[in-house]
Structures are given as structure tokens and as C-alpha cells.
Amino acid sequence: MRAFADLLERLVYTRSRNAKIKLIADYLIGTPDPDRGWALAALTGELDFRTVKAGLIKSLTEERVDPVLFKMSRSYVGDMAETVSLLWEPRPGAEPAPQDLRLSSVVDRLMALSRAEAPLQMSAYLDAMVPTERFALIKLATGALRIGVSARLAKTALAQAFALDLDAVEEVWHGIDAPYTALFAWGEGTAPQPSHEDIPVFRPFMLAHPLEDARVDLSQYAAEWKWDGVRVQLNHVNGETKLFSRTGDDVTASFPDVADAFQIHGVIDGELLVKGDAQGTADQGGEAASFNALQQRLGRKTVSKKMLTEAPAFVRAYDILFDGAEDLRALPWEERRRRLEAFVPRLPAERFDVSAIVEADDFDHLAKIREGARSAAIEGLMLKRRDSAYIAGRKVGQWYKWKRDPLTADCVIMYAQRGSGRRSSYFSDYTFGCWTEAGELVPVGKAYSGITDEELRFLDKFVRGNTTGRFGPVREVEKTLVLEVAFDSVHSSKRHKSGIAMRFPRIHRIRNDKPAAEADRVRTLEAMID
Amino acid sequence: MAKQTLGDWIKPHPTGIYVEPGDFWIDPSEAQGMAVVTHGHADHARSGHSHVMATPETLAIMETRYGEYPKATPMAHGEIARIGEVDVGFVPAGHVLGSAQVVMEYRGERIVASGDYKRRADPTCAPFEVVPCDVFITEATFGLPVFRHPDTAGEVQKALDALHANPERCVLIGAYALGKAQRVIRHLRDLGHHEPIYIHGAQEKLCNLYQDLGVDLGELRLATGRKKDELQGTIIICPPGALNDRWSRRLPDPITAMASGWMRIRQRARQRNVELPLILSDHADWDELTQTIEDIGPKEVWVTHGREDALLHWCMTRQIKARALNMVGREDEDD
Ligand SMILES: [Zn+2]
Ligand SMILES: [Zn+2]
């Protein structure tokens, strides 16, 4: 428990992404099973103890500490777990926890705990522990670490610790439960890579590079629309269907209409869209609403009937990874495309279609077509090398995305502040940042416009639920949410730590589907300075 | 004759405490005719007064910072002077070198203005003395039960541990130039660190003064202008404001530490980009504040500044009369 508490403590004070990865990696190497597996589960947000809620910790504390002083302390400190860890008054004569109290023994105990036993056990732990351990215990037990470590970062650390391929880790991750002993055994070379032939596990996505100023030869590259939805993977095997987002999150529960309609053994990659007000014409493959319509469906654990009828979802397929048990990923794109075109018609037509190929005489012609696409559902074009295999991640020269203007960048929201006037009760002013080459997030701009009321409510809720710090009116938030920011131009600026300033930045849209680590780099913005 | 209320001869103002029958101010933040100053920190000791009374150490500190005052009266701990109709004396406050509580007697009432204080041992200054009184005027900088400063040596040892674990880096400790810096250095020496300690130029004068006044700080060197390799594996002390400024960029991959009571709160530490928080303050923590009130047993407690709400509430639950004086500009952001 002490080692896990120390890890959390050091992560809190570490800013650079690389340094965080190293801290976690060192911990995973130096800690025995099953402790390290439970720590990894805690860091990736996979632990859920139902019997310990924040309310229990609060009432236990009020039994020990004057409730008025507790309340004042809490409003000063901000974080409940931290407040309790600091002001908890141990019962006189309480024995300190043994130095070698193991994380796994705490986890085992918390899992077996009944609601009736919880108060006594939690106070016994709090009595016995030092403040850093109390902090770790409360964070662990109430299920929200919020220490600026994403699941992706923790998995990256795991891959780095044992020199594993990150995509391979992602691929096996979803079939293994905590404490992941099979995963560590694989990492340490004492067991083969775990395989999942009969469960629908996440298969890492193939991603595209921005085209920037390059040109491609259309005899080597095919073009298709880049739809403004959410990239998803559908996976059906053995009677079970799963829907995964780009980050590998299981979003099946948010889109039961689509998942239920996908009942053929195989894995496809496509864009999840919501049927709406007729943007996109027939030759572009059907009707899709703008991203805002989809926004209402995202992030919901359960979906109402009303929503299912008012905003029905469908998937526009881009690619096929598995046809039955056959792994197609090594085949050239053209071959997979033929297989996709044969596969999709077997699915219900009201839920699935294939993203059309955009035919053009040459590159200039294609540029004109791109300029002419005014549908809100179209984000730009994708250019795919005709012989490209489906390779996890971004491989140079294979796939390009060619977005429409204006300039946009994917930034991570860092701070928020209340707005003024009509929006004064909402956190509506956002400071966002991009990554430096050293892996540190630095602010690149601030915006308070461009969002719909729906998005405002979403962001406000995000800020309130993910606050990691308060400085006067400013909230610091978990660095996990990506905002696509549109702006007119970029200038160099000595006043900002990032060295750049954006002109007229506005929030273009919220990218819940994008991991923070994949937000743009400051260097990318520097390249836009004119 | 109207009934007198306890301590009504003392007039608290946002800018300081005015003692009417003696016609003097305690720690005024604006220039006054006569100022009795508890200690040398800038939020208590200002320039511009015509006449200053303080301990000899505090006067030396004030002169180092502000130059000479037209009239300065040194008064050592234990001496008593009559100012107007008030008997005034100093007793140690344990805060920084020279820091004093002001003990005042008038009309049979005794009032103690403690300035800033702490209770735990500090090798650079005399320990706090408990003086029973009718009204105890206290600060409440760390007046919340979340503030409990751990053992000082243990915190300073963290800096040495970090240094030994990272011999190719340096440990840069942000510490208030008066009191904190010298206390950290003294503790480092007591823990067996005898190598030269590097300091920021802004701390040189006060460190020299401490040495002159008999606090042995060992060999100190200025950090500015040194080559990176000379500073590898060393401890460097700088004002908190220099931790993240251009000055520190020339150092060899510093481990950024800060010695302050605020470091108890994670966000405070993160806000200052601190990698290694050292919880170490020259102010009383929650337990010291409440213990002091219990030890003194005053009829009334007056709170000058800090988290006074919580301390007032605590006094109320113990049936001790208490009020807030709402002094402004006294928050020690760095201590
Ligand atoms: Zn002070
Ligand atoms: Zn002060």
C-alpha cells in the first residue's frame, strides 16, 4: 500500500508525460503480482467497489472531526479524499498499518466488503494509515483517481516497462481482467501473448497523417469522404457484439441500435453517424446529421427510447479487419475494399452502408471536389494508399486526412473559468494546451465561443466532475478531454510559455473520441505561423 | 463612569494595531510616528516610520533591508519600557531570528500581540514563550485542521534523499529569504550535509547577517555565474519567485523543491510547479495554534489574519471569546 501511495504522490507532482510513464513503468517492474495488476487497474479506471461511496467517507469523517471544520477544510482544499487524508484524527491508541500492508490485501478486503462492514473497515484503515496512504485508499475505494493519468498513459507505461508493442497491449487488454497476471507473464516472457479468438476484443485502429501541403498520385491513392462523426469499430464473435471507440472504450451501451443490428461474425471500421436533417446527398452515400446531433448520444450509459427514435444511429463503413475468423488486415486496401463491399450488404441497410469512393480525374480535380463539399457532415477527404495493409497506428505514407479549412488543432482542455452574463453559472471559458516535444502540456489559447448550449452543458459537467485544482475562480481539470479548436491564424508570442498565440480561437467541437495524448503538438502549430 | 470593555484601549485597524494610551502602532503597514515591530518580515516591518522599537536582531534585519530609521530603539527580550502609559516588553515568538511577541500592560490588563509565531524547535531562533494574558492576539495563517506540519528534520531529509538519488541533477529549494532559507540550511547542516550550499544573490545579505548574529550556516556560495557541472549534485536555495524564472534555467536539471507550510496541499504545490514539496513553515500549524491558546488560557482571542473562521469556530466550541481583526496584506503566500 505504501508503494502504491508513493506512486500516486509522485504522479501528482510530475508534469511531464514521459516522466509519468517512467514512474509507472518502474513501479510495474519493481512490484510483485498481484499488487501491480491492481495498481494498473486503478490507474486505468477498471476498479469499482460498490460498497464504498464518497458519502460514507464523509459521514465517517464527521464522526471524528468537527463537521464545521471539516466543511471549511474541504472548501479550502477542494478534493474530498485529500481533505480527509489530511485531517483524519486516528482513534487514540490505533496501531499504525504495517509497512508491508499489501495493495492486494486492501483490494481483496474492499471487494469482499458488505455494506454493513464498510464503515468499520474503512475507519480501521484510515486510523492505521499515514496521510498519503489514506489519500490512495480513498481514491481507490471510491473509484476516481483523478491524478492526471489516463488509461492510455498507464497502458503506454506497461508497454514501455516490458518492451511490448502498445497496440498489441491494447489488443489483448480487453480480454483480460485485473490483476492481469497473464499480461505480466507475457511481458516478462514466461508465457505467450494472450489470445482471444472467441471474444470480441478491441483491435487497434489504423490512423491517418494530415496531408499538409503534399500531393498524391491518384493512381496510387483512393479518396473517400472523411465523415464528421465518431470513428468506431464493430466486432461480433460467438454471439456477442461490441462497439469500441478510437480509444478502445467500450461504447456498446450508448448505441444498442447499431450493436443489435451487427450480427455477423467479423470486425469492421467505420464512422458512427446519426440520421438527421439531410446533410450529405445521395451520391455521398446517404443522409447524415452534423456532429452536434451525435453529441447527444455520446457518453450516455443508457439511452432512452425517445432518443433511439429521434436520433437513430448508423455506421458508414470504411474498412474490414476480420471476415468471420479470417484476419484481413495484411491484405492490400483494394482487396479489403472488395471484401467490405461484399460484407456490408449482408447487414441491415438502415443501419449500415459503405462510405463511397470519391472519383476524380486528378489531384487538382479532387481539390475542387473537396472545396465544393459544403455538407456539415463532411470533414474533408481521406486518401488511402491502394496497397496499404491495415496497420495499427499511424504509418507514414499509407493514409492521409485532408481536412477542409479553417485551420484547426486538437487541444487538451486544461483550465476553465465561469463565463459572464447568460453563461455566468457555467464554466464556459476554457484554456487549452498542446504538447511540447518534452511531452509537457502547455497552454496555447483560450476560447469561450463556438459551442452550442448542449456542448456547453457537457463541458460544464466535465469541468465540475474532473476538477483537480482550484485557483480562485479558475478550475484546473483532468488533462483528458480533447477540444478541436478552430482559429484564423497563429502568431509567435513571447508572452506565452508555448511561444505562440492563436487569432480568434473558437471551440469547433468536442472530441470525446480522441485520447489526450494524440492532441496536436505545439510544433504543429508553430508550422502554421504565417 | 461607563463600564470598560476588555482591551478597548487597543484599536485594531486594517493597517495595524494602534495602542491609544501609548500612541504607538504594532506592525503598521503604513508609515507611522512610532512603530513597535514584532519581526523583520515585510508584511510586519515597513520603511518610513519616524521611530522604530524592536529587538536588536529585528532592527539589524530592518536596517539591512530598508536602511537606517531616523530613530531606532533596540529592546532585548525581557526588558520593559514605558511608552506613554503602557508598559511594553518583548518575549520570543519562535518565528524567525529576533521575532518577538509584544506584551502590554495597562489599567491592570495584559495583552499579548504575538505577531507571527510557531511552537516547534528552530535552531535559528529562540523558542516561543507562553505568557498568560487577558487577550491573546494571534495569527491564523494555517488555521485549518488540514495543516499539520510534519517533523522538520524528516522534511529536510527528503531534499538530501533526492540529492543522493540524482547525483547528476541539483536540488533547488525555494525558501523565503528571511528565516526559512537559514533554517533549511541549518537543518541540512544538522543532518550531516557539510558541502557548500549555493544561494541566490537575493539571499546573500540576510544569510551574512544571520552568520554575523551567531547562526552558523557553514560554507555558502553564490549560485549565479557558476558552470553547470559545478552545480551538479548540490543544493541551491533561492527565493520562491525564482523557482520557475529565467534564473533557474541555467541550473543542471533542477529538482524543484519548495519549503513551505502550503506544500501540505497538493494543488498549492502543483500550482508552483513543485516536484518535491517540503512541508516546513515558520508559522504555527493547526495543532500549535490551538495548543497555544490552551496553554495561555486567555479571556479573549483576537485573530489578525489567515483562516480565522475556523479558529474562531474552534474557540467558540470551547467557550473562549474570540473575534477577527481582519488585518489586510498579511498573507504569507510563500511561508
Ligand atoms: Zn512573519
Ligand atoms: Zn506575517
Side-chain angles (χ1 to χ4, degrees):
Chain A
M1 192 65 191
R2 186 64 61 92
F4 178 63
D6 287 347
L7 173 68
L8 293 194
E9 197 69 8
R10 297 186 64 185
L11 285 171
V12 164
Y13 296 118
T14 304
R15 300 242 162 193
S16 124
R17 181 179 153 80
N18 292 342
K20 284 184 190 178
I21 290 172
K22 182 161 189 315
L23 277 175
I24 301 171
D26 289 348
Y27 173 88
L28 294 177
I29 294 168
T31 309
D33 287 321
D35 289 8
R36 57 183 171 181
W38 292 121
L40 190 58
L43 291 171
T44 50
E46 311 249 337
L47 279 184
D48 187 12
F49 305 107
R50 281 151 201 283
T51 43
V52 183
K53 298 269 176 272
L56 171 67
I57 306 294
K58 183 166 175 267
S59 59
L60 288 176
T61 309
E62 284 172 347
E63 286 169 21
R64 294 296 174 94
V65 182
D66 182 320
V68 175
L69 295 178
F70 176 33
K71 197 169 169 224
M72 286 174 178
S73 298
R74 197 184 158 185
S75 83
Y76 183 83
V77 174
D79 183 84
M80 221 260 302
E82 182 171 4
T83 310
V84 174
S85 75
L86 294 177
L87 56 54
W88 181 264
E89 294 190 11
R91 192 168 37 79
E95 285 283 316
Q99 284 272 4
D100 56 354
L101 173 67
R102 292 187 59 172
L103 174 62
S104 53
S105 91
V106 175
V107 169
D108 288 344
R109 187 75 192 101
L110 289 175
M111 283 194 168
L113 214 54
S114 72
R115 209 166 277 268
E117 294 168 312
L120 217 66
Q121 178 62 69
M122 287 306 287
S123 7
Y125 274 145
L126 291 169
D127 279 344
M129 289 176 174
V130 298
T132 52
E133 290 173 313
R134 285 185 205 134
F135 178 76
L137 173 77
I138 299 168
K139 289 278 180 188
L140 187 73
T142 55
L145 289 185
R146 287 195 191 133
I147 51 159
V149 173
S150 64
R152 178 79 176 176
L153 186 108
K155 289 174 199 168
T156 308
L158 171 71
Q160 191 169 305
F162 300 104
L164 299 170
D165 178 48
L166 179 56
D167 292 310
V169 168
E170 283 286 8
E171 186 153 338
V172 299
W173 179 265
H174 295 271
I176 302 178
D177 289 328
Y180 318 113
T181 32
L183 211 55
F184 288 108
W186 168 44
E188 286 176 340
T190 56
Q193 175 171 351
S195 82
H196 317 294
E197 276 165 11
D198 6 311
I199 29 172
V201 295
F202 174 65
R203 311 287 177 177
F205 280 94
M206 178 155 179
L207 305 169
H209 276 283
L211 184 64
E212 315 277 0
D213 294 329
R215 294 168 71 91
V216 296
D217 178 353
L218 293 187
S219 68
Q220 284 172 21
Y221 286 83
E224 62 188 21
W225 294 116
K226 179 168 165 44
W227 296 95
D228 198 8
V230 173
R231 189 90 180 272
V232 289
Q233 177 176 108
L234 283 136
N235 189 328
H236 180 90
V237 61
N238 227 4
E240 196 186 349
T241 303
K242 288 266 187 219
L243 218 74
F244 296 108
S245 73
R246 258 203 43 206
T247 40
D249 292 323
D250 183 343
V251 293
T252 317
S254 303
F255 300 95
D257 40 357
V258 173
D260 290 349
F262 191 77
Q263 297 294 333
I264 302 176
H265 189 184
V267 179
I268 64 167
D269 171 352
E271 197 84 10
L272 186 77
L273 298 156
V274 162
K275 287 190 186 170
D277 3 313
Q279 286 111 342
T281 56
D283 65 314
Q284 290 163 349
E287 299 173 352
S290 68
F291 192 77
N292 289 343
L294 185 59
Q295 198 66 43
Q296 299 176 21
R297 292 272 312 260
L298 270 174
R300 293 187 190 253
K301 288 240 166 67
T302 54
V303 197
S304 68
K305 266 224 174 77
K306 183 163 170 273
M307 198 156 257
L308 288 175
T309 39
E310 280 179 4
F314 71 100
V315 168
R316 185 152 289 163
Y318 291 136
D319 214 321
I320 182 162
L321 287 71
F322 283 78
D323 186 348
E326 187 189 355
D327 188 344
L328 307 180
R329 289 178 290 181
L331 297 178
W333 174 84
E334 277 185 321
E335 183 57 31
R336 292 200 310 279
R337 176 80 194 184
R338 269 192 288 280
R339 300 288 292 264
L340 180 71
E341 285 170 1
F343 187 90
V344 173
R346 293 161 60 201
L347 296 162
E350 74 277 15
R351 295 291 179 193
F352 297 93
D353 61 18
V354 177
S355 183
I357 301 294
V358 178
E359 301 290 352
D361 303 336
D362 53 31
F363 191 79
D364 291 327
H365 181 208
L366 188 64
K368 278 207 188 71
I369 295 174
R370 169 176 159 273
E371 283 307 311
R374 279 282 158 253
S375 163
I378 290 177
E379 221 194 339
L381 284 170
M382 292 294 298
L383 297 164
K384 296 182 174 174
R385 225 187 130 85
R386 294 175 187 276
D387 60 2
S388 59
Y390 194 97
I391 308 159
R394 271 187 192 91
K395 194 157 181 249
V396 177
Q398 303 297 301
W399 288 9
Y400 290 107
K401 53 185 172 193
W402 192 16
K403 285 195 192 178
R404 285 192 319 190
D405 305 332
L407 298 174
T408 64
D410 289 332
C411 306
V412 182
I413 174 168
M414 301 176 71
Y415 305 96
Q417 209 172 334
R418 280 177 202 273
S420 52
R422 192 172 66 90
R423 292 183 160 181
S424 63
S425 65
Y426 288 98
F427 286 96
S428 62
D429 297 9
Y430 315 106
T431 302
F432 39 78
C434 288
W435 298 102
T436 64
E437 293 312 297
E440 197 187 337
L441 205 56
V442 291
V444 296
K446 203 175 168 179
Y448 41 86
S449 68
I451 52 174
T452 63
D453 286 1
E454 185 73 29
E455 289 170 311
L456 175 65
R457 277 192 289 277
F458 172 87
L459 284 171
D460 181 69
K461 201 168 155 224
F462 172 82
V463 170
R464 288 169 199 275
N466 292 275
T467 297
T468 59
R470 295 159 203 249
F471 322 123
V474 179
R475 298 270 187 109
E476 182 175 12
V477 297
E478 282 288 318
K479 312 298 182 300
T480 51
L481 182 67
V482 176
L483 300 176
E484 186 177 295
V485 177
F487 46 91
D488 289 358
S489 54
V490 181
H491 305 270
S492 58
S493 159
K494 290 209 169 60
R495 283 193 309 122
H496 297 88
K497 194 181 172 193
S498 59
I500 57 133
M502 288 176 173
R503 191 166 160 80
F504 298 131
R506 61 252 178 209
I507 311 293
H508 195 47
R509 62 175 186 161
I510 302 165
R511 294 293 308 262
N512 317 58
D513 56 320
K514 191 160 199 178
E518 289 184 32
D520 281 311
R521 289 166 174 238
V522 175
R523 178 181 281 182
T524 312
L525 290 171
E526 281 166 358
M528 298 179 187
I529 293 175
D530 49 26
Chain B
M1 201 172 114
K3 192 176 172 292
Q4 289 161 349
T5 14
L6 184 58
D8 63 359
W9 43 283
I10 293 214
K11 312 286 181 199
H13 291 260
T15 56
I17 292 167
Y18 179 60
V19 184
E20 209 169 50
D23 190 23
F24 66 89
W25 290 75
I26 300 173
D27 293 350
S29 60
E30 289 168 356
Q32 299 291 355
M34 165 127 196
V36 173
V37 176
T38 58
H39 66 285
H41 278 149
D43 54 330
H44 299 257
R46 299 284 163 125
S47 59
H49 311 309
S50 326
H51 182 186
V52 180
M53 179 183 272
T55 62
E57 296 86 354
T58 299
L59 282 179
I61 289 163
M62 291 172 77
E63 278 164 10
T64 304
R65 293 188 139 179
Y66 304 121
E68 293 197 355
Y69 288 80
K71 188 174 172 197
T73 309
M75 185 166 73
H77 292 306
E79 285 176 33
I80 291 184
R82 195 167 179 91
I83 310 179
E85 300 167 47
V86 187
D87 286 325
V88 180
F90 286 145
V91 295
H95 176 56
V96 296
L97 182 61
S99 67
Q101 310 175 65
V102 185
V103 181
M104 293 167 285
E105 288 188 20
Y106 172 68
R107 219 173 54 193
E109 291 170 11
R110 183 192 285 161
I111 295 184
V112 173
S114 58
D116 294 335
Y117 66 97
K118 68 173 175 294
R119 299 300 299 275
R120 65 192 64 213
D122 177 342
T124 67
C125 67
F128 181 95
E129 273 175 33
V130 171
V131 178
C133 57
D134 299 297
V135 177
F136 181 61
I137 305 178
T138 181
E139 55 137 327
T141 304
F142 293 112
L144 276 175
V146 288
F147 292 110
R148 291 196 161 107
H149 311 326
D151 169 60
T152 314
E155 293 299 299
V156 177
Q157 184 63 45
K158 285 184 190 167
L160 290 176
D161 292 345
L163 184 71
H164 298 142
N166 300 278
E168 73 298 341
R169 301 177 68 181
C170 66
V171 176
L172 177 66
I173 307 177
Y176 222 60
L178 169 58
K180 185 68 62 62
Q182 297 79 15
R183 184 173 166 216
V184 169
I185 294 169
R186 193 53 253 167
H187 271 286
L188 286 166
R189 300 306 187 203
D190 289 344
L191 288 168
H193 183 75
H194 300 300
E195 284 81 57
I197 291 173
Y198 291 81
I199 58 172
H200 185 279
Q203 297 178 314
E204 190 184 19
K205 274 191 193 168
L206 285 167
C207 284
N208 287 345
L209 179 66
Y210 262 62
Q211 304 243 47
D212 292 346
L213 293 172
V215 180
D216 181 11
L217 302 177
E219 186 186 349
L220 303 181
R221 292 181 187 170
L222 276 181
T224 311
R226 306 270 169 184
K227 292 226 168 59
K228 273 197 179 183
D229 55 352
E230 186 185 345
L231 296 173
Q232 277 179 340
T234 67
I235 290 185
I236 304 170
I237 316 266
C238 72
L243 278 179
N244 295 306
D245 78 0
R246 262 196 300 177
W247 178 83
S248 65
R249 279 186 219 153
R250 287 167 298 178
L251 305 176
D253 191 15
I255 297 168
T256 310
M258 173 138 161
S260 155
W262 300 112
M263 294 299 105
R264 177 92 166 156
I265 310 293
R266 288 180 174 79
Q267 276 322 316
R268 285 281 195 142
R270 280 171 50 80
Q271 195 179 352
R272 309 213 53 150
N273 253 317
V274 167
E275 208 178 329
L276 181 67
L278 307 176
I279 309 166
L280 197 159
S281 179
D282 288 323
H283 291 274
D285 68 6
W286 175 255
D287 291 332
E288 292 171 62
L289 289 171
T290 54
Q291 184 65 49
T292 302
I293 294 171
E294 282 179 345
D295 289 349
I296 293 173
K299 294 199 184 87
E300 283 188 26
V301 171
W302 298 356
V303 186
T304 51
H305 64 286
R307 321 271 81 68
E308 53 263 61
D309 289 352
L311 196 59
L312 294 182
H313 172 82
W314 181 88
C315 288
M316 189 194 77
T317 61
R318 276 152 185 83
Q319 305 224 49
I320 302 166
K321 219 174 145 191
R323 62 188 266 222
L325 302 185
N326 302 316
M327 306 254 141
V328 295
R330 310 243 165 189
E331 186 76 317
D332 279 321
E333 280 298 324
D334 292 334
D335 206 356

